[in-house]
């Protein structure tokens, strides 16, 4: 049971969770938290670019997954056609075996590029975003609705940062 | 476009309003579900008869080996195209109205491609060995499939299209399934929790998600244009008069998008009414959809005209004869239904009053769907019945088996669409929030446009 809890249970880390109704309120808090150097997570119902700007994210590394998948795909697609052609030449018009007609294989190469590129992109999103993360906790069910959540790690409600969080929040909860 | 103003609802209302479909459904839902299941059963019975008694019952024989089954295949693949166009191409073009209709259009795509994928299997007869003919597996003589054949290209194109559309659709739905999870209790919460992969909606997750979504859109964009091009090469790469033309790929793609947009409208109108989504799937979004329908209808109209011009200009007697017979031969009925439904009736969409008039627009969209089915039937049958040698000419009309299996495919499509409408978010919750006014304290009194 203890092992199961360690593997799949929530990570019981102390912290304070605040819920905001307005995007600009959340952004104001995020800016201050970043300036203080606190460790925190932000929860949002959808991808507002203002949030990303406030958090100062670098371009996502998902693009490398896409590129790798697409290159593997195009190689596999052409490789599949060429190898079957090598294994059993389809001689057309009496031409010598061993002449490989690449244009006919463009479609297969293209389709495999898209297929593996798409699969790799999804894998990238899931891996980099840590989805699923059995240890990640859901602090509020309202952040998938319309509210913004900020969870600051390692503080309690006596901490000065908790006061900052509370200022414009609609709800404040302490987790231990 | 005026579509950023005039929102009657706010971001806080979205989940509550849109997820009404997951509560107790209207009794009509069960009637529709039973009707579609009945069609599936009928289709299944006739497929069973065809498998046990042989392909003879389908009525396919020399010279028309491709009849209703391949018509259905092309028709359903075509229907699927609007979903990817709306979800991927319009996403890259930043057409904001697509956010209200993309989810249901993508669902339509997947179920339509599922129907399409059935028909080559039904058509090959001995379905249990179809994998040997369609996939690159060497047979007993160590022969591989012929990678120079458009039919094999098509296998790759359709299976890639189905997989990528499914991934794109499901990825878009993960945050919305998490929204559903957070509103449920007990067993349902567990099910939606598993379906949402434990999505938490952290800013970090959204950051990667948004990039991934854009890349998927970029990959799906050339894919959607390629798939129907490849389908058209099934015809255009042959030497059959009426098929062997270079205009086929763009002509097929435009036709596919025309039929798909019409089908999106046909499906959305009852759904929008039944679940009271008028505040989200708004009149101007549907107006934009109908404008797209009009555009593709004009392209199709032009393509029909070019086909006739090229047949005349080529000086090829076989080509000229086929097109003359389409106008006034045995199969002229199908041709004229096609012309009126795809080119003439959609002209009413030039008028804003008629685009806004729901019954008119609905009837025209249903007629476009009929017309697009007839288009494929016309292309396939009229070219095959009479080719170069008068001695091998023949006649074709659909058999009961073919018609019931076609009915079954419609049942199959609507069955899945109804299941989707009952258990999944019909409108993309996270994306509709993006085109609504942002929840800003500074702007909470004066409602203002969202987006950046």
């Amino acid at each position: 049971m203890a092992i199961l809890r360690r593997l799949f249970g929530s990570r019981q880390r102390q912290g304070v969770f605040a819920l905001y109704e307005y995007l600009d309120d959340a952004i104001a808090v995020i800016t201050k938290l970043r300036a203080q150097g606190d460790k925190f997570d932000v929860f949002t119902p959808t991808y507002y670019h203002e949030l990303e700007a406030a958090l100062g994210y670098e371009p996502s590394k998902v693009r490398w997954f896409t590129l790798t998948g697409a290159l593997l795909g195009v190689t596999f697609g052409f490789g599949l056609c060429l190898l079957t052609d090598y294994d059993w030449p389809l001689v057309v018009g009496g031409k010598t075996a061993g002449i490989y007609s690449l244009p006919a294989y463009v479609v297969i190469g293209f389709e495999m590029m898209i297929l593996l590129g798409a699969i790799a992109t999804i894998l990238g999103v899931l891996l980099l975003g840590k989805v699923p993360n059995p240890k990640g906790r859901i602090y509020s069910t309202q952040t998938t609705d319309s509210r913004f959540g900020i969870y600051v790690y390692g503080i309690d409600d006596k901490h000065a940062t908790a006061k900052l969080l509370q200022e414009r929040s609609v709800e404040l909860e302490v987790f231990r | 476009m005026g579509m950023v103003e005039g929102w009657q609802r706010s971001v806080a209302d979205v989940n509550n309003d849109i997820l009404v479909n997951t509560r107790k459904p209207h009794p009509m839902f069960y009637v529709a579900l039973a009707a579609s299941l009945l069609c599936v059963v009928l289709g299944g019975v006739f497929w069973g008869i065809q498998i046990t008694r042989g392909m003879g019952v389908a009525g396919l024989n020399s010279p028309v080996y491709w009849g209703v089954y391949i018509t259905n295949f092309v028709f359903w693949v075509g229907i699927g195209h609007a979903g990817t166009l709306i979800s991927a191409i319009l996403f890259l073009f930043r057409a904001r109205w697509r956010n209200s209709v993309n989810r249901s259009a993508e669902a339509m795509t997947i179920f339509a491609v599922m129907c399409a994928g059935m028909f080559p299997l039904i058509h090959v007869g001995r379905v249990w060995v179809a994998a040997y003919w369609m996939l690159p597996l060497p047979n007993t003589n160590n022969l591989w499939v012929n990678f120079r054949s458009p039919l094999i290209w098509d296998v790759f194109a359709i299976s890639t299209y189905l997989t990528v559309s499914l991934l794109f659709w499901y990825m878009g739905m993960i945050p919305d399934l998490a929204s559903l999870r957070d509103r449920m209790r007990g067993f349902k919460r567990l099910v939606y929790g598993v379906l949402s992969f434990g999505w938490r909606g952290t800013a970090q997750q959204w950051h990667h998600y948004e990039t991934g979504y854009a890349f998927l859109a970029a990959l799906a964009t050339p894919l959607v244009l390629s798939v129907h091009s490849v389908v058209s090469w099934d015809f255009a790469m042959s030497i059959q008069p009426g098929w062997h033309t270079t205009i086929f790929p763009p002509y097929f793609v435009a036709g596919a998008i025309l039929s798909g947009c019409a089908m999106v409208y046909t499906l959305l109108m009852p759904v929008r009414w039944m679940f009271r989504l008028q505040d989200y799937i708004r009149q101007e979004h549907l107006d934009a959809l109908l404008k797209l329908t009009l555009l593709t209808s004009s392209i199709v109209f032009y393509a029909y005209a070019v086909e006739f011009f090229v047949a005349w200009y080529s000086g090829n007697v076989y080509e000229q004869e086929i097109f003359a017979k389409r106008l006034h031969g045995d199969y002229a009925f199908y041709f004229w239904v096609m012309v009126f439904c795809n080119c003439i009736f959609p002209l009413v969409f030039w008028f804003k009053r008629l685009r806004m008039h729901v019954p008119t627009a609905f009837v025209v969209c249903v007629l476009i769907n009929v017309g697009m089915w007839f288009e494929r039937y016309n292309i396939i049958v009229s070219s095959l019945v009479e080719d170069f040698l008068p001695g091998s000419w023949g006649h074709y009309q659909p058999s009961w088996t073919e018609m019931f299996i076609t009915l079954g495919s419609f049942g199959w499509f609507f069955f899945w669409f109804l299941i989707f409408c009952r258990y999944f978010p019909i409108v993309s919750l996270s994306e509709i929030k993006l085109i609504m006014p942002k929840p800003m304290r500074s702007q909470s009194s004066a409602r203002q446009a969202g987006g950046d």
Side-chain angles (χ1 to χ4, degrees):
Chain A
M1 209 52 206
I3 297 172
L4 275 181
R5 202 173 297 134
R6 244 183 88 188
L7 274 175
F8 298 111
S10 305
R11 188 194 294 166
Q12 295 289 332
R13 284 179 62 180
Q14 184 180 309
V16 175
F17 179 78
L19 206 56
Y20 298 91
E21 194 174 346
Y22 295 110
L23 177 62
D24 38 2
D25 289 352
I27 286 171
V29 175
I30 290 167
T31 314
K32 286 178 190 158
L33 288 176
R34 278 192 75 202
Q36 290 180 18
D38 283 305
K39 182 172 165 29
F40 63 98
D41 266 339
V42 179
F43 297 83
T44 162
T46 186
Y47 50 98
Y48 289 113
H49 286 170
E50 292 89 338
L51 270 182
E52 270 179 43
L55 286 160
Y57 286 147
E58 308 247 302
S60 165
K61 292 198 166 50
V62 167
R63 56 207 168 126
W64 297 112
F65 281 82
T66 312
L67 181 69
T68 314
L71 288 178
L72 276 176
V74 76
T75 314
F76 176 76
F78 274 104
L80 183 68
C81 302
L82 291 171
L83 285 175
T84 56
D85 197 341
Y86 174 78
D87 185 47
W88 190 294
L90 285 170
V91 180
V92 177
K95 306 270 176 9
T96 328
I99 294 176
Y100 300 104
S101 59
L102 285 179
Y105 303 149
V106 165
V107 175
I108 308 288
F110 171 78
E111 300 294 342
M112 295 312 291
M113 176 187 80
I114 302 283
L115 181 65
L116 295 198
I119 291 173
T121 306
I122 301 269
L123 281 180
V125 171
L126 296 181
L127 288 175
L128 294 174
K130 296 202 183 84
V131 187
N133 179 5
K135 290 191 174 178
R137 192 161 171 177
I138 294 157
Y139 300 104
S140 165
T141 54
Q142 296 182 50
T143 54
T144 53
D145 195 318
S146 63
R147 288 180 163 167
F148 303 88
I150 298 177
Y151 187 85
V152 182
Y153 291 95
I155 61 165
D156 59 17
D157 50 348
K158 308 277 189 306
H159 202 278
T161 308
K163 298 263 180 312
L164 167 72
L165 284 174
Q166 193 163 22
E167 219 168 280
R168 287 187 155 180
S169 70
V170 284
E171 211 179 293
L172 195 82
E173 209 180 331
V174 183
F175 287 86
R176 290 199 170 83
Chain B
M1 301 271 287
M3 64 182 59
V4 286
E5 294 122 22
W7 285 95
Q8 303 294 317
R9 315 293 285 165
S10 77
V11 167
D13 302 316
V14 170
N15 288 22
N16 241 343
D17 289 350
I18 290 177
L19 296 177
V20 284
N21 64 323
T22 55
R23 293 179 212 140
K24 201 173 159 50
H26 194 268
M28 272 308 287
F29 172 82
Y30 294 105
V31 176
L33 196 68
S36 54
L37 270 177
L38 180 70
C39 294
V40 173
V41 170
L42 276 173
V45 167
F46 274 86
W47 191 10
I49 293 172
Q50 181 184 293
I51 287 174
T52 46
R53 299 188 57 190
M55 287 302 283
V57 294
L60 294 169
N61 213 327
S62 176
V64 183
Y65 286 112
W66 285 8
V68 168
Y69 292 152
I70 300 301
T71 303
N72 286 334
F73 166 72
V74 183
F75 172 76
W76 282 119
V77 179
I79 293 289
H81 274 56
T84 322
L85 173 100
I86 289 170
S87 62
I89 300 185
L90 296 185
F91 174 82
L92 294 185
F93 279 108
R94 298 282 184 264
R96 296 160 63 82
W97 64 271
R98 58 69 86 182
N99 283 22
S100 71
V101 297
N102 69 331
R103 171 66 47 74
S104 38
E106 283 174 56
M108 179 199 76
T109 292
I110 288 151
F111 308 140
V113 179
M114 273 163 55
C115 286
M118 300 279 287
F119 279 99
L121 299 179
I122 294 169
H123 187 245
V124 293
R126 284 181 290 156
V127 63
W128 52 94
V129 282
Y132 257 131
W133 302 325
M134 293 187 181
L135 300 179
L137 299 166
N139 69 7
T140 43
N141 290 330
N142 271 332
L143 265 171
W144 297 90
V145 291
N146 182 1
F147 278 113
R148 289 174 210 169
S149 158
L151 299 181
I152 285 299
W153 300 348
D154 214 11
V155 173
F156 276 74
I158 299 291
S159 41
T160 299
Y161 188 45
L162 180 61
T163 316
V164 173
S165 307
L166 194 64
L167 289 175
F168 197 27
W169 177 66
Y170 199 83
M171 182 182 165
M173 212 154 54
I174 286 176
D176 293 357
L177 290 170
S179 291
L180 264 168
R181 170 200 66 201
D182 289 347
R183 302 169 72 85
M184 297 288 176
R185 286 180 194 289
F187 182 66
K188 279 189 182 170
R189 184 180 161 82
L190 178 73
V191 171
Y192 281 114
V194 171
L195 288 178
S196 68
F197 294 158
W199 175 266
R200 296 165 73 216
T202 63
Q204 195 80 37
Q205 286 180 340
W206 277 114
H207 176 58
H208 297 304
Y209 174 92
E210 195 201 353
T211 309
Y213 197 84
F215 274 116
L216 277 184
L219 287 170
T221 295
L223 180 67
V224 64
L225 300 177
S226 81
V227 171
H228 228 57
S229 302
V230 173
V231 170
S232 83
W233 288 331
D234 289 347
F235 302 93
M237 298 278 282
S238 74
I239 53 165
Q240 203 74 22
W243 289 2
H244 187 64
T245 55
T246 46
I247 199 179
F248 257 39
Y251 161 32
F252 267 52
V253 171
I257 292 167
L258 169 65
S259 67
C261 287
M263 187 60 109
V264 172
Y265 192 91
T266 314
L267 292 174
L268 271 184
M269 290 322 292
V271 165
R272 178 175 179 256
W273 166 77
M274 201 182 282
F275 300 109
R276 295 187 192 84
L277 295 172
Q278 286 89 342
D279 284 333
Y280 296 98
I281 303 173
R282 294 168 54 186
Q283 196 67 47
E284 60 259 39
H285 303 163
L286 296 168
D287 189 42
L289 185 66
L290 291 177
K291 282 180 187 162
L292 197 59
T293 313
L294 177 62
L295 171 74
T296 42
S297 159
S298 318
I299 299 174
V300 167
F301 200 168
Y302 175 73
Y304 292 167
V306 167
E307 270 199 316
F308 274 87
F309 172 77
V310 170
W312 166 75
Y313 192 65
S314 68
N316 181 321
V317 286
Y318 302 104
E319 196 77 14
Q320 286 169 349
E321 193 64 12
I322 280 284
F323 280 92
K325 283 189 171 167
R326 280 187 188 174
L327 281 180
H328 51 73
D330 289 347
Y331 300 88
F333 169 72
Y334 302 103
F335 174 81
W336 288 108
V337 170
M338 160 188 122
V339 169
F340 273 91
C341 289
N342 300 340
C343 310
I344 308 298
F345 299 139
L347 292 177
V348 303
F349 292 149
W350 279 107
F351 304 100
K352 187 167 177 118
R353 275 247 310 274
L354 293 172
R355 287 201 305 271
M356 293 294 192
H357 191 247
V358 172
T360 308
F362 186 79
V363 168
V364 171
C365 283
V366 171
L367 286 173
I368 291 173
N369 280 311
V370 173
M372 286 310 295
W373 193 89
F374 276 75
E375 181 205 285
R376 278 64 180 257
Y377 186 88
N378 176 58
I379 291 172
I380 292 170
V381 174
S382 72
S383 274
L384 282 177
V385 282
E386 294 173 358
D387 63 357
F388 305 99
L389 292 172
S392 59
W393 289 0
H395 188 73
Y396 173 80
Q397 66 183 39
S399 66
W400 286 108
T401 308
E402 287 172 311
M403 284 193 269
F404 273 102
I405 289 178
T406 304
L407 183 72
S409 76
F410 277 89
W412 183 243
F413 175 77
F414 284 109
F415 170 75
W416 285 109
F417 196 79
L418 286 165
I419 293 288
F420 160 75
C421 286
R422 172 75 182 84
Y423 295 105
F424 294 95
I426 304 173
V427 174
S428 173
L429 305 173
S430 59
E431 285 174 290
I432 195 93
K433 287 171 193 163
L434 283 177
I435 58 168
M436 294 175 79
K438 289 176 189 176
M440 293 285 207
R441 183 185 289 278
S442 52
Q443 297 160 2
S444 59
S445 49
R447 288 208 164 158
Q448 203 185 308
D452 49 11

PDB file of all heavy atoms in Angstrom, chain A residues 13-29:
ATOM      1  N   ARG A  13       3.185  18.011  -0.700  1.00  0.00           N
ATOM      2  CA  ARG A  13       4.147  19.081  -0.396  1.00  0.00           C
ATOM      3  C   ARG A  13       3.404  20.291   0.103  1.00  0.00           C
ATOM      4  O   ARG A  13       2.388  20.684  -0.439  1.00  0.00           O
ATOM      5  CB  ARG A  13       4.963  19.409  -1.641  1.00  0.00           C
ATOM      6  CG  ARG A  13       6.015  18.351  -1.913  1.00  0.00           C
ATOM      7  CD  ARG A  13       6.780  18.665  -3.144  1.00  0.00           C
ATOM      8  NE  ARG A  13       7.518  19.924  -3.035  1.00  0.00           N
ATOM      9  CZ  ARG A  13       8.267  20.403  -4.022  1.00  0.00           C
ATOM     10  NH1 ARG A  13       8.353  19.758  -5.145  1.00  0.00           N
ATOM     11  NH2 ARG A  13       8.912  21.524  -3.860  1.00  0.00           N
ATOM     12  N   GLN A  14       3.991  20.873   1.108  1.00  0.00           N
ATOM     13  CA  GLN A  14       3.329  22.022   1.729  1.00  0.00           C
ATOM     14  C   GLN A  14       3.301  23.224   0.780  1.00  0.00           C
ATOM     15  O   GLN A  14       4.235  23.443   0.017  1.00  0.00           O
ATOM     16  CB  GLN A  14       4.072  22.386   3.001  1.00  0.00           C
ATOM     17  CG  GLN A  14       3.403  23.509   3.758  1.00  0.00           C
ATOM     18  CD  GLN A  14       4.160  23.838   5.019  1.00  0.00           C
ATOM     19  OE1 GLN A  14       4.461  22.961   5.816  1.00  0.00           O
ATOM     20  NE2 GLN A  14       4.467  25.103   5.206  1.00  0.00           N
ATOM     21  N   GLY A  15       2.218  23.974   0.872  1.00  0.00           N
ATOM     22  CA  GLY A  15       2.130  25.160   0.035  1.00  0.00           C
ATOM     23  C   GLY A  15       0.795  25.853   0.190  1.00  0.00           C
ATOM     24  O   GLY A  15      -0.074  25.401   0.923  1.00  0.00           O
ATOM     25  N   VAL A  16       0.672  26.963  -0.520  1.00  0.00           N
ATOM     26  CA  VAL A  16      -0.570  27.735  -0.464  1.00  0.00           C
ATOM     27  C   VAL A  16      -1.112  27.892  -1.876  1.00  0.00           C
ATOM     28  O   VAL A  16      -0.356  28.181  -2.812  1.00  0.00           O
ATOM     29  CB  VAL A  16      -0.320  29.124   0.169  1.00  0.00           C
ATOM     30  CG1 VAL A  16      -1.586  29.961   0.114  1.00  0.00           C
ATOM     31  CG2 VAL A  16       0.134  28.979   1.603  1.00  0.00           C
ATOM     32  N   PHE A  17      -2.411  27.650  -2.025  1.00  0.00           N
ATOM     33  CA  PHE A  17      -3.050  27.742  -3.337  1.00  0.00           C
ATOM     34  C   PHE A  17      -4.054  28.895  -3.343  1.00  0.00           C
ATOM     35  O   PHE A  17      -4.892  28.998  -2.446  1.00  0.00           O
ATOM     36  CB  PHE A  17      -3.778  26.432  -3.643  1.00  0.00           C
ATOM     37  CG  PHE A  17      -4.483  26.441  -4.962  1.00  0.00           C
ATOM     38  CD1 PHE A  17      -3.775  26.258  -6.134  1.00  0.00           C
ATOM     39  CD2 PHE A  17      -5.859  26.627  -5.043  1.00  0.00           C
ATOM     40  CE1 PHE A  17      -4.427  26.270  -7.355  1.00  0.00           C
ATOM     41  CE2 PHE A  17      -6.504  26.639  -6.261  1.00  0.00           C
ATOM     42  CZ  PHE A  17      -5.779  26.454  -7.415  1.00  0.00           C
ATOM     43  N   ALA A  18      -3.928  29.755  -4.327  1.00  0.00           N
ATOM     44  CA  ALA A  18      -4.855  30.881  -4.423  1.00  0.00           C
ATOM     45  C   ALA A  18      -5.579  30.837  -5.765  1.00  0.00           C
ATOM     46  O   ALA A  18      -5.007  30.448  -6.785  1.00  0.00           O
ATOM     47  CB  ALA A  18      -4.097  32.192  -4.298  1.00  0.00           C
ATOM     48  N   LEU A  19      -6.869  31.232  -5.734  1.00  0.00           N
ATOM     49  CA  LEU A  19      -7.700  31.174  -6.931  1.00  0.00           C
ATOM     50  C   LEU A  19      -8.094  32.592  -7.333  1.00  0.00           C
ATOM     51  O   LEU A  19      -8.479  33.398  -6.468  1.00  0.00           O
ATOM     52  CB  LEU A  19      -8.955  30.362  -6.584  1.00  0.00           C
ATOM     53  CG  LEU A  19      -9.688  29.629  -7.682  1.00  0.00           C
ATOM     54  CD1 LEU A  19      -8.768  28.688  -8.423  1.00  0.00           C
ATOM     55  CD2 LEU A  19     -10.838  28.839  -7.071  1.00  0.00           C
ATOM     56  N   TYR A  20      -7.997  32.910  -8.636  1.00  0.00           N
ATOM     57  CA  TYR A  20      -8.305  34.267  -9.095  1.00  0.00           C
ATOM     58  C   TYR A  20      -9.388  34.232 -10.146  1.00  0.00           C
ATOM     59  O   TYR A  20      -9.442  33.317 -10.972  1.00  0.00           O
ATOM     60  CB  TYR A  20      -7.050  34.925  -9.676  1.00  0.00           C
ATOM     61  CG  TYR A  20      -5.968  35.069  -8.656  1.00  0.00           C
ATOM     62  CD1 TYR A  20      -5.034  34.060  -8.492  1.00  0.00           C
ATOM     63  CD2 TYR A  20      -5.900  36.173  -7.825  1.00  0.00           C
ATOM     64  CE1 TYR A  20      -4.056  34.151  -7.533  1.00  0.00           C
ATOM     65  CE2 TYR A  20      -4.927  36.276  -6.868  1.00  0.00           C
ATOM     66  CZ  TYR A  20      -4.007  35.271  -6.718  1.00  0.00           C
ATOM     67  OH  TYR A  20      -3.044  35.368  -5.750  1.00  0.00           O
ATOM     68  N   GLU A  21     -10.186  35.278 -10.131  1.00  0.00           N
ATOM     69  CA  GLU A  21     -11.243  35.354 -11.132  1.00  0.00           C
ATOM     70  C   GLU A  21     -10.739  36.025 -12.401  1.00  0.00           C
ATOM     71  O   GLU A  21     -11.191  35.714 -13.498  1.00  0.00           O
ATOM     72  CB  GLU A  21     -12.430  36.124 -10.554  1.00  0.00           C
ATOM     73  CG  GLU A  21     -13.673  35.959 -11.401  1.00  0.00           C
ATOM     74  CD  GLU A  21     -14.894  36.600 -10.779  1.00  0.00           C
ATOM     75  OE1 GLU A  21     -14.838  36.943  -9.593  1.00  0.00           O
ATOM     76  OE2 GLU A  21     -15.888  36.764 -11.494  1.00  0.00           O
ATOM     77  N   TYR A  22      -9.790  36.960 -12.235  1.00  0.00           N
ATOM     78  CA  TYR A  22      -9.377  37.761 -13.385  1.00  0.00           C
ATOM     79  C   TYR A  22      -7.947  37.453 -13.806  1.00  0.00           C
ATOM     80  O   TYR A  22      -7.067  37.235 -12.973  1.00  0.00           O
ATOM     81  CB  TYR A  22      -9.515  39.245 -13.074  1.00  0.00           C
ATOM     82  CG  TYR A  22     -10.936  39.657 -12.849  1.00  0.00           C
ATOM     83  CD1 TYR A  22     -11.384  40.025 -11.575  1.00  0.00           C
ATOM     84  CD2 TYR A  22     -11.842  39.654 -13.896  1.00  0.00           C
ATOM     85  CE1 TYR A  22     -12.696  40.389 -11.372  1.00  0.00           C
ATOM     86  CE2 TYR A  22     -13.164  40.009 -13.699  1.00  0.00           C
ATOM     87  CZ  TYR A  22     -13.590  40.380 -12.435  1.00  0.00           C
ATOM     88  OH  TYR A  22     -14.895  40.732 -12.244  1.00  0.00           O
ATOM     89  N   LEU A  23      -7.751  37.485 -15.104  1.00  0.00           N
ATOM     90  CA  LEU A  23      -6.441  37.211 -15.680  1.00  0.00           C
ATOM     91  C   LEU A  23      -5.409  38.235 -15.239  1.00  0.00           C
ATOM     92  O   LEU A  23      -4.282  37.887 -14.872  1.00  0.00           O
ATOM     93  CB  LEU A  23      -6.583  37.200 -17.215  1.00  0.00           C
ATOM     94  CG  LEU A  23      -5.331  37.001 -18.046  1.00  0.00           C
ATOM     95  CD1 LEU A  23      -4.712  35.645 -17.768  1.00  0.00           C
ATOM     96  CD2 LEU A  23      -5.673  37.076 -19.547  1.00  0.00           C
ATOM     97  N   ASP A  24      -5.781  39.531 -15.257  1.00  0.00           N
ATOM     98  CA  ASP A  24      -4.775  40.553 -14.913  1.00  0.00           C
ATOM     99  C   ASP A  24      -4.360  40.491 -13.443  1.00  0.00           C
ATOM    100  O   ASP A  24      -3.210  40.780 -13.113  1.00  0.00           O
ATOM    101  CB  ASP A  24      -5.233  41.971 -15.316  1.00  0.00           C
ATOM    102  CG  ASP A  24      -6.707  42.208 -15.097  1.00  0.00           C
ATOM    103  OD1 ASP A  24      -7.381  41.285 -14.595  1.00  0.00           O
ATOM    104  OD2 ASP A  24      -7.199  43.308 -15.432  1.00  0.00           O
ATOM    105  N   ASP A  25      -5.280  40.048 -12.572  1.00  0.00           N
ATOM    106  CA  ASP A  25      -4.914  39.855 -11.164  1.00  0.00           C
ATOM    107  C   ASP A  25      -3.856  38.764 -11.039  1.00  0.00           C
ATOM    108  O   ASP A  25      -2.855  38.924 -10.333  1.00  0.00           O
ATOM    109  CB  ASP A  25      -6.145  39.449 -10.346  1.00  0.00           C
ATOM    110  CG  ASP A  25      -7.116  40.610 -10.173  1.00  0.00           C
ATOM    111  OD1 ASP A  25      -6.737  41.735 -10.558  1.00  0.00           O
ATOM    112  OD2 ASP A  25      -8.230  40.382  -9.675  1.00  0.00           O
ATOM    113  N   ALA A  26      -4.096  37.653 -11.728  1.00  0.00           N
ATOM    114  CA  ALA A  26      -3.144  36.541 -11.674  1.00  0.00           C
ATOM    115  C   ALA A  26      -1.784  36.975 -12.202  1.00  0.00           C
ATOM    116  O   ALA A  26      -0.742  36.648 -11.628  1.00  0.00           O
ATOM    117  CB  ALA A  26      -3.687  35.360 -12.465  1.00  0.00           C
ATOM    118  N   ILE A  27      -1.812  37.748 -13.297  1.00  0.00           N
ATOM    119  CA  ILE A  27      -0.538  38.178 -13.899  1.00  0.00           C
ATOM    120  C   ILE A  27       0.240  39.098 -12.956  1.00  0.00           C
ATOM    121  O   ILE A  27       1.465  38.966 -12.822  1.00  0.00           O
ATOM    122  CB  ILE A  27      -0.805  38.844 -15.273  1.00  0.00           C
ATOM    123  CG1 ILE A  27      -1.159  37.758 -16.278  1.00  0.00           C
ATOM    124  CG2 ILE A  27       0.409  39.636 -15.748  1.00  0.00           C
ATOM    125  CD1 ILE A  27      -1.652  38.276 -17.594  1.00  0.00           C
ATOM    126  N   ALA A  28      -0.477  39.975 -12.260  1.00  0.00           N
ATOM    127  CA  ALA A  28       0.195  40.875 -11.317  1.00  0.00           C
ATOM    128  C   ALA A  28       0.900  40.069 -10.231  1.00  0.00           C
ATOM    129  O   ALA A  28       2.065  40.359  -9.879  1.00  0.00           O
ATOM    130  CB  ALA A  28      -0.835  41.825 -10.703  1.00  0.00           C
ATOM    131  N   VAL A  29       0.232  39.014  -9.719  1.00  0.00           N
ATOM    132  CA  VAL A  29       0.838  38.175  -8.678  1.00  0.00           C
ATOM    133  C   VAL A  29       2.044  37.415  -9.237  1.00  0.00           C
ATOM    134  O   VAL A  29       3.102  37.345  -8.603  1.00  0.00           O
ATOM    135  CB  VAL A  29      -0.218  37.215  -8.097  1.00  0.00           C
ATOM    136  CG1 VAL A  29       0.412  36.266  -7.100  1.00  0.00           C
ATOM    137  CG2 VAL A  29      -1.335  37.992  -7.444  1.00  0.00           C
TER     138      VAL A  29
END
